[in-house]
Each structure stands twice: as structure tokens, then as C-alpha cells.
Amino acid sequence: MPDILRPEDKQAIISAADSLIEEAIDFLQGMLRIPSINPPGVAYPECASYIGERLAALGYQVEYITLSAAENAELAPYGEGLPRTNVLGRLPGPQSSPVIHFNGHMDVVPVGMDWSTPPFGGEVRAGRVYGRGAADMKGGIAAQVYAVEAIRRAGLQLQGTVEQSGVVDEESTGNRNAGMGLLVERGLISSERTDYVVITEPLNIDNICLGHRGAIWGEIQTIGRQSHGSTPAQGVNALEHMAGFIDEVTGQLAPRLRQRQNHYPVVPATANAASLSFNVIQGGTNVNSVPDSCCVAFDRRLVTSESLADARQELWDILERRVQTIPDFRYEYKERYAAAPTWVSAETPLVQSFASAIQHILGRAPGYVCSPGTDDQRFVVQNAGIEQCIIYGPGEITQAHIVDESLAIADLLVSIKIMALATAELLGVQRHA
Ligand SMILES: [Zn+2]
């Protein structure tokens, strides 16, 4: 792909970014003041309108993607029936292609206690913007919108088409969902109409994230038989069966998983190995009855070289062996969420444009990293079949989901410049006469 950006165009874009940073901060602060907390998913229509109005003011064609009550119930089962609204802005260029789609999720996780600043205040202190979602990832949405503005205000016209979306329910995952999953299901993002997708999650300004690990969230129940606590031999103790199973997994499977390292560096590095963690346990009703049921919820994380099928089989093998060897061992296995690992090639125009923009602004080559958790990239790559989809955005991953979450304004500005240069190169620009 030719480098069509002239040095003076690059410089004009960088200068334009410098002069619009206050406007980008103001846009971000407005978003931070809308408490779009998920779960359950409140203030989504308000947040979508706020973004949509800004996009319309900047000249985008704006559409809102909403759900019927039935779709809402199916796609957002934990959403308490609250309305789900996504926003999509489109800025057509003189050529119908290429199309670059920038995406961010509008939902934020609950705030917790002990904030030193109002979590929905958007305060600026010592060069950082504070608030839930500043890093994860309303900062990314502000950056994606103002990166495109930097190109336009440099007096350049993009030749291809830009799309910007703000979606719901990234934080609550789902095999399907009411946000990015829905946009893909409705064909609004598809391999026929979309060339490049950039999801602006925070993985640090010098990293290009090419994928994420996989996950299985499931429940295992052991099934026993009640008896009086004074005659336990008459019953089958589901809790003790579960204890034995947990012991085998933590003692034998978990150490094997820790040996499985991700082939590509995960940010943070502490998430580099495969893992399985039991995070909820329920069993028994009263002290003098042998429990007939015990249930655990587990969180299995897969490195990119693992498959969902193998990860499941590994657990099923342990369970089935126990059925064969332990009298009265019975179980049920259920999954609530499963996402295969995702990884895309670095040898694409999208990645190379971002790499050269990072080199230009920061003076170094990017890190190619893997996200520890799953994110909306899975819908784009696995369901829409779009290979050219990366995660790049401002903010440190360590800021996500913490008390006093914040975003460095310097990082916001750098990411705007990098996204602007990459976009200008990918879509091509023409100087206004
Ligand atoms: Zn996020």
C-alpha cells in the first residue's frame, strides 16, 4: 500500500489535533457525566443521543439502533428490560470504499466505593480526566471522533467513508448481545461493506492489540441424595462430591493450565497463562441434612492456542472419570458464556498503517499484544468474518474497572494523532481547493 500522505499533510493533521484537544476533552466529560452503568444498563438512550448529537453536529448521518421488547429479553437477559440503544454515524466520502468503522462501547461497570472524585463528574486534575469510563472506554470514543476531526480540520478531505459507533453491553458479554453483536447480526458491519474496524479499547497508546484470549463461564452441579444428618451413609453428599472434584481440578488441571503460556504477550503479563477459577459455590440447606445438590460457577480462560472444544473436553474427562470411579457421582454441566480466542494477522494494511503512525508520533515500533479478557472483536472477526479488525485506543488497561479511573490527556491527544494519521493513510486524502 503506497504511503500517500505527504509530510505537510501529516504535519497539518498533527497541528489540527493539538488545537482540538479541549473540544475532545469537553465531549469526553459530557459522556462521563452520563452514568451508563452495566449491569443492568442504565441511561443508554441518553448516552447514545449525546454521541449522536455530536456526530450530527459534525456532519455525520446518524442512526439509532434499538431493540424490540422480545429482542431485548433475548439479547440482554440480565438487563432488567431497560432500553438498549446503539448509535451509528456515517460520513460518506467521494469514494464508496474503503470504509473504516470506529467502535466503542458506551457502557461502564459499577463504581464501587472510596472514590476521591465524583465518579460521574468528569473532573480534570493534574493532566488527567477522572470518571468511570474515562479509560474503559469513553476516552476511546472521544478519541475516535476527534481523530477524524483532526483530518478534516487540517483542510483534508477523506476519500473513503468513516463510520463511528457507540454500542451497549460490552461489559456484560454474551454469546450474542444487544450491542456490537446486534450490529453484526443486522449486517451493519459486514465483510461486504466494511473494510477496517478499529475498536478503541484501552491497551496503552503504543500497543496494537490483535486479539483476545478465550473464555468459558459455566456451572457444574453435583447431584446427591438427601438424608438425615445423623445417618449420612443413607444419603449421597453432593457437597463432598464437589469438594473432591474441586480438589482434583485445582491440584492437577490448574497447574497444567499455568504451563500454557499465550504465544503473544498479554497485557497485563499476569494474564499470560491459561487458567480456571471456581468463583461461586452453593450447596446445602441446613446443618442436619445431607445436601443433595452443590453448584459451582467457574471461569476458564483460554490462551490463543487453545480451542473451546479442547477446553471443554478436558473438564468433561475429569467429570466422566469420576462418574466411572466414584460410586454415586453424578453431575450436570452448563455454560453461560463461551468465546473462542481471537487473533488476526499483523500483515495487513490496517495494522501497518497504525504501526507507521505509532512510529511517526512516538518514535518506536508498536507492541503487538493480546487482550486478557474477551471483547467485541470476537463478533467482528468470528461472526462478520472481517480479518482487518484491531483494538487501539487511549488509556492504560490498568485503569479499567478501578476506583478513581482516569485517562491522561497527553495519551488522549497522542491516540487522536495516531488514529488520524492511520485513517488518512488508509482512506486517502485530498486537499480542499
Ligand atoms: Zn472496555
Side-chain angles (χ1 to χ4, degrees), residues 24 30 37 47 53 65 84 87 113 124 141 166-167 181 186 192 200 228 232 243 274 282-283 325 375 380 388 394:
I37 302 168
C47 199
E53 280 162 22
I65 296 99
R84 265 67 196 145
V87 59
M113 290 182 297
V124 172
I141 296 176
V167 299
R186 292 209 180 154
E192 290 80 40
T200 52
H228 196 283
Q282 282 167 321
T325 56
D375 57 49
V380 179
Q388 297 201 59

Side-chain angles (χ1 to χ4, degrees), residues 53-54 56 69 117 153 159 198-199 204 211 218 324 355 396 409:
E53 280 162 22
R54 181 66 58 113
T117 161
R153 291 186 201 181
Q159 297 302 288
V198 179
I199 301 176
N204 305 347
Q324 301 305 320
E396 303 107 312
I409 290 169

Side-chain angles (χ1 to χ4, degrees), residues 214-232:
I216 302 174
W217 298 351
E219 285 171 6
I220 294 164
Q221 181 188 18
T222 47
I223 300 152
R225 188 174 62 242
Q226 270 195 330
S227 75
H228 196 283
S230 64
T231 55

